Amino acid sequence: MTTSDKLKELSFRCFGVPHIQMCYSEAKGRYVVTREDLKAGTLVCFSKPYTAVVYGLYIARVCHHCWKFTIPDEVFTIRCGECEQVYYCSEECQKQKSAEHVKSCQFLKKLKSELYSQEVKSRIKHVIEVMIKKHSEEERKIKKDGDQDKVDSNQDEMTFSDVNLIYSPRIHLPAFTLGMYRTIQKGLAKILPKELTITADEFLDLICKLDCNQFGLWTPDDDLLGVALHPKACFFNHSCLPNIAKYWDGINLVFKTLYPIPKDSELCISYISANQPVRTRDVELRANYFFNCRCLRCYHKHGVHKYPIKAYDQFYELVQCPKGSGIMCILETLPSGEERRRCNTCGFERVSESVPSLEDFL
């Protein structure tokens, strides 16, 4: 299979339609484009997580199946009696999750007694979940009749081979971070059996991918409840002038267009809160994602860019949340032509005039 064919196959599994396509270049790596004009509010991607973990401080506040969470000072009472590390909002959620949880229960029980910080334990938990998922896929390969090299999958399911395609910022990491990762690796060696372990090189590559590409689930009060790895979503590049945005549907991610997008445009999300000043954004992106942004709001080159940065800032204000750090995602277009939007961070809603395409605004 050629590289072009592989990208087409991956594109269809990620997005399910022929006009949303994965591309590749030396400068950008993998990126996503649309080959058709897209209306505002168009569904681009629905992503189920490959893995997800709740942070230790909040294990009793989050249902480990549906990811429903409580208000502060309230907790769920249904939990796994064996490891005491997994809670549920209902007996039905516990039943739905039980077959999956039994694979990690013994390891979580061991981890509970280890004297690591909650931050380190959360990272260990995530690597454990990935290793268990990888091992399950390998077992399915062995049991599958016929083609031994193919894992049963469908459009909604990503595999460890897709995780391997995600960018790893390993070469940029400071010594302090690498030291913490070695501590995590030692912790894993105490917990995981031989069949679930990987080499030190593979481990560093994996944990770098997790830390740089996982998506955080935040409450309106800015509590980070946990993280999820969504391989589909990792193929979108960053822009401080995004044309698509995500919102959570339980533990799933939904990506929709923010305004009309012409064909052959790259589809970009914002990795950070784009409501911040350019210098603040630049520092955050370099510290956490190891690149300098060159989008229309961050970089202006005379003779190349027709409009000043201020014009693009003014356009972004049409979709930024006036109450906080989020983006106003479209819920529906009303008969009047106005749009009802909701912030993907704080939940603030408003009805306003429809947002034009960037080209029409300029």
Side-chain angles (χ1 to χ4, degrees), residues 115-132:
L115 299 178
Y116 296 116
S117 68
Q118 290 293 343
E119 181 182 7
V120 169
K121 283 187 175 182
S122 296
R123 284 179 164 88
I124 292 175
K125 282 169 60 177
H126 206 170
V127 175
I128 288 173
E129 294 296 336
V130 173
M131 289 296 93
I132 290 174

Side-chain angles (χ1 to χ4, degrees), residues 24-79:
Y24 178 83
S25 72
E26 290 294 331
K28 293 182 177 181
R30 295 177 191 85
Y31 62 99
V32 183
V33 299
T34 175
R35 297 307 184 191
E36 293 182 2
D37 293 339
L38 298 179
K39 296 180 180 179
T42 299
L43 175 66
V44 172
C45 178
F46 180 84
S47 176
K48 296 180 179 180
Y50 184 74
T51 49
V53 294
V54 179
Y55 277 0
L57 293 175
Y58 303 104
I59 58 172
R61 281 188 57 193
V62 181
C63 176
H64 284 59
H65 177 62
C66 71
W67 278 61
K68 176 182 178 181
F69 56 86
T70 69
I71 61 174
D73 301 324
E74 290 190 7
V75 297
F76 294 122
T77 57
I78 301 173
R79 70 178 183 182

Side-chain angles (χ1 to χ4, degrees), residues 229-244:
L229 180 64
H230 285 265
K232 291 182 184 181
C234 296
F235 298 119
F236 293 118
N237 277 339
H238 164 83
S239 172
C240 296
L241 188 63
N243 50 20
I244 64 174

